[in-house]
Amino acid sequence: MTDESSSYHYERLTWPEMREAAAAQRVIVLPVGSTEQHGPHLPLDVDNFLCQSVCEGAAKLVPDQVLLMPPMNYGFNWHHIDFPGTIGIAWDNYVRFLLDIVKSVAHHGFRKVLIVNGHGSNRTLIEVAARQATMDYDVVCAAFSYFELAIDALHNIRESPKGWVAHADEIETSLYLYLRPEGVRRDKIAAENNMLPSEFWWQDLEGSGRIGMMEWWSTFSNTGVLGDPTLATREKGEVLYKACTERLAALIREFKERPMRPRVDHH
Ligand SMILES: [Zn+2]
């Protein structure tokens, strides 16, 4: 075994090594994100970079139990298209692309798949894909956003009020400051929240209003920010990153051992 062959990076294995990895039933982790505007102070890779960093950190904690796939770096986000640079994928292409990936790994013998998301608006589509894949491909596929695993840590860290942790906000900026500080344009950091006040609808990583609605982003944000990144610190990012990676590693351990119980046909 070379160092490369014991890697947890899916694409670094050879096909005979892949056959062994499938026999060992390593958990497939597929990071998904989005290439989209994140205000004047953060690059377009925020959702991809943060999600991949969390997946990488978790995989390092359980390297022999997991295979980390090449990421899917484009997402469902046409509502951001008024800001230069954003790349939007249609919902049906997005779901079918995910299903094709899961179909492929299932064909190779893997049966546990985690879709780990970094972009809010992918959330419903990854859940559709995970549910459909589980019905179609003899796998168990689960889907979630990385910060959902550490929602208690997020709650404890945040100083922003409800509806102010949504996009290029205190949390995303803190994580970026911790993981890649040179990418943050500190002189451009500014808060913005022009959402219409509502009893029913707000956006927040900790839990949005129960009304499903997404208007064109440019109708309620001039800068592309929804939140208060002036509250971001490297220290908050470190705490949250560690919480996310540890929780994801714990999930991978549990998911790997989770038995797949047989179906029963009651016709
Ligand atoms: Zn984001």
Side-chain angles (χ1 to χ4, degrees):
M1 280 279 234
T2 63
D3 278 356
E4 287 280 288
S5 67
S6 59
S7 171
Y8 52 79
H9 289 113
Y10 186 95
E11 72 274 28
R12 298 266 168 86
L13 300 191
T14 64
W15 72 256
E17 290 160 0
M18 192 58 77
R19 190 165 54 190
E20 287 172 29
Q25 282 304 315
R26 289 163 79 161
V27 173
I28 296 289
V29 169
L30 172 63
V32 303
S34 165
T35 298
E36 73 180 33
Q37 73 83 15
H38 272 76
H41 71 287
L42 289 172
L44 276 75
D45 74 347
V46 170
D47 294 346
N48 298 328
F49 175 64
L50 299 184
C51 182
Q52 284 161 40
S53 298
V54 167
C55 290
E56 183 82 35
K60 276 190 186 131
L61 297 174
V62 286
D64 54 342
Q65 300 187 42
V66 69
L67 277 186
L68 181 56
M69 293 199 77
M72 185 164 155
N73 281 338
Y74 303 100
F76 177 64
N77 59 0
W78 197 256
H79 46 277
H80 282 279
I81 206 71
D82 292 334
F83 295 90
T86 298
I87 304 293
I89 306 299
W91 68 269
D92 47 348
N93 292 338
Y94 186 83
V95 171
R96 287 180 204 288
F97 200 103
L98 280 179
L99 285 172
D100 284 347
I101 294 172
V102 182
K103 180 182 182 180
S104 302
V105 294
H107 188 78
H108 301 313
F110 294 98
R111 304 190 69 196
K112 305 279 181 66
V113 181
L114 295 176
I115 300 172
V116 187
N117 175 45
H119 167 60
S121 291
N122 290 340
R123 186 63 179 77
T124 47
L125 298 186
I126 59 172
E127 189 165 345
V128 167
R131 288 179 184 225
Q132 192 66 47
T134 299
M135 301 299 103
D136 289 349
Y137 304 135
D138 195 24
V139 295
V140 183
C141 183
F144 54 92
S145 298
Y146 70 84
F147 47 83
E148 292 175 296
L149 293 177
I151 214 73
D152 45 350
L154 193 154
H155 179 77
N156 292 336
I157 284 166
R158 68 182 289 172
E159 295 177 80
S160 306
K162 185 175 92 173
W164 280 77
V165 173
H167 191 74
D169 49 63
E170 177 188 3
I171 295 300
E172 284 190 324
T173 307
S174 293
L175 282 165
Y176 215 100
L177 277 173
Y178 173 60
L179 292 164
R180 195 172 158 268
E182 67 276 18
V184 181
R185 281 66 158 174
R186 290 169 197 254
D187 57 324
K188 304 269 190 344
I189 290 178
E192 183 181 2
N193 188 342
N194 283 318
M195 298 290 279
L196 296 171
S198 169
E199 186 186 336
F200 302 102
W201 194 75
W202 63 90
Q203 282 283 300
D204 200 289
L205 296 189
E206 207 181 317
S208 295
R210 300 308 301 167
I211 304 300
M213 179 173 76
M214 180 55 72
E215 295 168 288
W216 295 104
W217 202 262
S218 62
T219 63
F220 57 82
S221 179
N222 294 318
T223 60
V225 171
L226 179 48
D228 188 353
T230 68
L231 297 171
T233 68
R234 189 185 175 283
E235 290 71 28
K236 289 176 185 172
E238 181 173 11
V239 171
L240 197 62
Y241 177 76
K242 289 191 171 146
C244 289
T245 52
E246 281 162 18
R247 294 304 295 156
L248 180 52
L251 171 62
I252 290 166
R253 277 190 220 103
E254 182 193 297
F255 198 56
K256 185 170 188 306
E257 298 309 318
R258 182 185 172 84
M260 290 174 70
R261 293 183 287 188
R263 291 171 67 185
V264 179
D265 188 346
H266 290 289
H267 286 92

